[in-house]
Structure formats: C-alpha cells, structure tokens
Amino acid sequence: MEQFIVKGEVQLNGNVKINGAKNATLPLMAATLLCSGISVLHGVPNLRDILMMQDIMTLLGAKITREGTTLIIDTGNVSRAEIPEHLMREMRASVFLMGPLLGRFRKVRLSYPGGCAIGPRPIDLHIKALERIGAFVGDRFGYIQAEAAELTGGEICFDFPSVGATENAMMAAAVADGTTIIRNAAREPEVADLECFLNKMGAKVIGAGSDTIRITGVGKLNPAEHTVIPDRIEAGTFILAGAITCGDVVVENIVPEHLSAVTDKLQEVGVKINSGLNYIRVRAGGFRGVDVKTLPYPGFPTDLQAPLLAMLTLAKGTSIITETIFENRFKHVDELARMGAKIKVEGRTAIIRGVSKLTGAPVAVHDLRAGAAMVLAALAAEGTSEIDNVFHIDRGYEALEERLRSLGGDIVRRGSN
Ligand code: UD1
C-alpha cells in the first residue's frame, strides 16, 4: 500500500494543465466496441480506471495500444460479449460495456458492477433503458443477460437523469433498427462528448447536453478519431486546492463553462476567480462558509463535494452541504475530524463549523474523491499528514503528487513494499 506524506501550510502558486476527462474516456472506449476496426482516442489520462477498462476490453478480444496520451483501439477481433465477474466487480464503469455489446452482438452477459464504496449503486435505470429499446433482460445465476433479436428503439423517460444509463442507452440505440428518444436525460458534458464521438462514427444523435436526446438508429457504425474533453472534476480539484491553501493558481486547458457551478460558489465565499477562453485563475486569502447542494449537471457536482467540504472546514462561519446524488458519500468526514475539523452529519447533510486551523494526522482514504479531499486538507494543515490507500486516488488523478509539487506543494509518495 502506498501513502502520501504531506507537509502542510503551503500556498500553491503557478499554472497546471488539466488532462482529458476520465468520465468521458470510459464511455468513449466502450463505444469503440460498437463497430469493427481501429478507433483512436487522444488526450486519454493514464489512470487505474482506464487501465482496468483496457484489461476488460482486451479480454473481450480488443487490441489496445497507448502512444503517449493516445489510445489506439482495434475492435476487429472482438468476439466475446461476456464479462467475467472479477473484472465487473473492480469497476462500476464496466456497466458501459452493456449497451455497445448488446448493440453489436445483440446479446451480452455480465455480473453486477463494483466501484467506489459510496452507497448502493443500482443499475435498474440501465436495464429499464435497454428494455425500452427492445432488449429482453434477465437475471440468472448472479448474471444479467440482455438479448434482442431486433432492437426496435423506443421512448425512455428516466426517473432520475443517470449519467451512465443515458450513455448506455445512447450507445445501444445508435445501432438500433428504429428511433429512440431519451427524456430526463443526463446533461453532463461527458454525455455531449459521447454524442460527438458517436456521430463521428456515423451515428445520428442530437440533443445531448439538453434533457431530451433523439437517436435515429443506423445499421452500421465505423471507427473514428476523437479528442477527449478536459476533466472538469480534476480542474475543480486543483481550483479548490488553490483556494484552500490561499494561493494563486491558474488551471489551464479546460472549458470554464463546465465549472460554472463551482466558480459561482467560490465567488460567493469570497474567493477571486478570473477566467478566459480555456483557463480559470483562482486567488484566495480566506473564505466564508456557504450552503451547497450537489445536483445533476449543471448543478454543483457530487464528485467535488468532498474536496469542497475539506475547504469549508477552514471557512469563517458555518456551512451546510447536502448530498442529493449518492448515499453514504461522507466517508471523508471522520478522517477530517482526526485533523481537527468540526463536522456533524445528519443523513445526507453535513454541517461544518469552520475552524481556524487543521492539524496534520495519519488518515485513510475510502474512495477516490474522499482521497482528493484528504490531500487538500493536508496541504492546508499545520504539520505532516500521512495519507493511506493512495490507490483510490490513482483511479482518477494522474500523478497528483507531482503536479501539486510543481505548484509548490510538499507531498511525496511512499511505497510500503
Ligand atoms: C457518473 C460518474 C461519477 C459521478 C456520477 C454522478 C462516470 C464513470 N462516473 O457515475 O463520477 O459521480 O456520474 O455525476 O461517469 N442510479 C440508480 N439506478 C441506476 C443508475 C443510477 O438508482 O440504474 C442512481 C445511483 O445510485 C446514484 C444516482 O443514480 O445515486 C446517480 O448515478 P449516475 O448518474 O448513474 O452515476 P454514474 O453514471 O454511476
């Protein structure tokens, strides 16, 4: 197990370039399975979750090579539409393979997916979507099997705008025999990026980014080349790192509009924000408490709730954070308390009474974004923190410690083997 050793009380200063988005890349990789041939994805981050997806797709018969940040994916020899249980358990995003494999082979078999320990994460909306477009989905011997002699297409109205279920439905519907309309669709930028790639493959998808997406099925798709959008969650994490350390950080290579909910909140608490076409500059010299509710895009992203909460532990006054997307997503709270934070959790709400300082401590990380929160708290705290279970952080942040060091952070990785 590796650890981060962080000496706190530093101000972060300088520029940092943001990588391509993990959450856009995963469905794009899955989408390449919709046809036979060589697709190329540029701007792919080097992360544990991406490697895991590579492993699963390789097992299905895909040949994947990486050249720098480019992935070359040859799906010519993919013949299996069955995903073994141990791989499904490793990563929830493997559920994205359901739509493309069903679309291409009209049959897919997989077990229930795993992923971060952030509460029950059912896949009922994925299943409902595939049923609506003509698949028969059954549950046998712990496996889910979906089949469709004909994928008719159809109307789907989600009870909740699930990102993954919207993306899965778009991929299967792209090669359906008829037309599909998805209502109450997720509006996340990653959904719009998937639409862009599918259309480059020859699909007919319109409306992604709004709550209604229309997909006219086409018989066959072709391989395509695409550059992944920047990672708004990674960008948000660096912006919050700049703010919590009262530093001056320019986050580059981003789409500022994707972070409007975040910059809006930061301005509300007294942090200075300037943005240009592809950058945001954050400067802080202290901040006030604020009330925040996580919401589907364009609301405040649940993936930045933990890093924001870490920052608000040092705010002047009280903050209230309500987590509406996931249950059980306050696992960072107990660890922050070890550093001197004053937080009370009641159901889906955390009440944070700002303290004047945090103190370094040995802490553990229980999921990816909670990991980012602990790193941010440690950068601002007095003294040294030892952060365990860094592998969670490596799922979603590439070389986080090196990039924080380039901004002046005192953080090193220590192996234990
Ligand atoms: C994606 C992101 C994740 C982010 C989340 C919400 C990827 C790889 N991951 O996850 O980082 O935190 O969006 O922005 O893109 N739900 C159901 N039934 C379903 C599907 C979802 O009840 O069939 C519930 C989930 O349990 C959760 C909520 O809907 O409470 C949101 O989930 P969803 O939008 O599907 O998130 P993911 O696509 O898994």
Side-chain angles (χ1 to χ4, degrees):
M1 291 290 176
E2 291 182 324
Q3 289 184 319
F4 280 155
I5 311 298
V6 187
K7 289 202 185 107
E9 284 187 302
V10 288
Q11 270 189 350
L12 297 187
N13 290 306
N15 295 33
V16 60
K17 271 206 168 56
I18 297 307
N19 294 326
K22 164 179 93 77
N23 287 352
T25 305
L26 292 168
L28 294 175
M29 289 173 75
T32 65
L33 291 168
L34 279 161
C35 69
S36 170
I38 301 175
S39 287
V40 179
L41 297 176
H42 300 290
V44 175
N46 198 357
L47 300 170
R48 259 191 69 215
D49 271 10
I50 304 286
L51 283 171
M52 192 73 67
M53 188 64 137
Q54 264 178 251
D55 285 351
I56 300 176
M57 289 176 60
T58 303
L59 200 116
L60 297 173
K63 200 168 158 262
I64 306 181
T65 45
R66 181 184 269 272
E67 287 174 12
T69 60
T70 297
L71 274 195
I72 300 147
I73 306 175
D74 183 350
T75 58
N77 288 325
V78 172
S79 53
R80 283 183 68 167
E82 188 171 328
I83 304 161
E85 185 184 352
H86 68 281
L87 289 174
M88 283 300 295
R89 277 191 193 282
E90 287 287 332
M91 187 178 63
R92 178 172 169 86
S94 39
V95 76
F96 290 132
L97 297 166
M98 209 162 147
L101 290 173
L102 176 73
R104 178 152 161 202
F105 298 107
R106 298 299 199 243
K107 190 173 176 175
V108 59
R109 190 167 185 259
L110 74 178
S111 68
Y112 283 91
C116 267
I118 48 176
R121 298 177 79 171
I123 58 166
D124 55 316
L125 300 173
H126 296 253
I127 292 172
K128 168 182 161 172
L130 298 180
E131 284 176 341
R132 285 291 153 82
I133 62 173
F136 291 94
V137 186
D139 207 344
R140 295 171 71 195
F141 309 116
Y143 275 83
I144 307 160
Q145 186 157 316
E147 282 180 74
E150 193 193 2
L151 270 181
T152 51
E155 288 219 15
I156 304 161
C157 183
F158 284 122
D159 300 335
F160 177 87
S162 155
V163 177
T166 300
E167 292 169 336
N168 233 336
M170 284 165 73
M171 291 189 274
V175 290
D177 305 298
T179 295
T180 299
I181 295 175
I182 308 175
R183 298 189 202 283
N184 200 20
R187 296 159 62 187
E188 270 69 1
E190 293 76 19
V191 177
D193 203 34
L194 178 62
E195 172 186 276
C196 184
F197 182 60
L198 288 172
N199 287 342
K200 285 180 184 173
M201 295 175 83
K204 290 189 178 159
V205 186
I206 53 167
S210 77
D211 62 4
T212 305
I213 303 174
R214 186 186 179 91
I215 305 128
T216 309
V218 295
K220 189 172 169 284
L221 295 179
N222 301 305
E225 189 165 349
H226 184 72
T227 301
V228 180
I229 56 167
D231 196 317
R232 65 195 167 94
I233 304 302
E234 187 187 76
T237 305
F238 278 102
I239 289 170
L240 291 165
I244 194 174
T245 62
C246 291
D248 181 352
V249 172
V250 182
V251 177
E252 299 173 331
N253 189 33
I254 58 169
V255 182
E257 189 192 318
H258 292 171
L259 286 144
S260 297
V262 179
T263 49
D264 190 78
K265 274 294 155 198
L266 288 178
Q267 279 169 317
E268 207 176 317
V269 303
V271 170
K272 286 198 186 70
I273 298 285
N274 299 98
S275 50
L277 208 56
N278 65 351
Y279 73 88
I280 292 175
R281 179 178 181 188
V282 54
R283 279 172 294 165
F287 34 84
R288 299 181 287 277
V290 74
D291 294 351
V292 185
K293 208 182 233 190
T294 62
L295 287 169
Y297 188 85
F300 193 92
T302 174
D303 285 350
L304 289 174
Q305 178 258 105
L308 177 77
L309 191 149
M311 177 187 149
L312 292 176
T313 62
L314 288 168
K316 285 188 192 75
T318 299
S319 304
I320 298 177
I321 294 190
T322 307
E323 172 57 60
T324 76
I325 308 292
F326 289 110
E327 285 174 42
N328 204 8
R329 208 176 197 182
F330 283 126
K331 291 200 169 168
H332 38 294
V333 162
D334 287 347
E335 302 300 316
L336 288 167
R338 295 168 72 106
M339 301 176 74
K342 296 267 174 285
I343 309 163
K344 192 171 161 203
V345 174
E346 284 178 5
R348 290 189 168 216
T349 298
I351 301 150
I352 306 129
R353 293 190 205 291
V355 293
S356 58
K357 70 170 182 188
L358 296 175
T359 47
V363 290
V365 161
H366 301 291
D367 70 55
L368 165 58
R369 306 302 171 186
M374 299 321 300
V375 171
L376 263 53
L379 287 168
E382 183 185 287
T384 301
S385 299
E386 290 175 17
I387 303 175
D388 276 345
N389 300 345
V390 163
F391 68 93
H392 283 297
I393 299 174
D394 294 334
R395 282 190 42 221
Y397 296 92
E398 184 177 337
L400 183 62
E401 75 280 25
E402 284 168 29
R403 293 157 81 205
L404 287 169
R405 272 203 303 273
S406 77
L407 295 172
D410 190 341
I411 169 169
V412 291
R413 183 183 291 256
R414 187 163 75 187
S416 65
N417 43 349

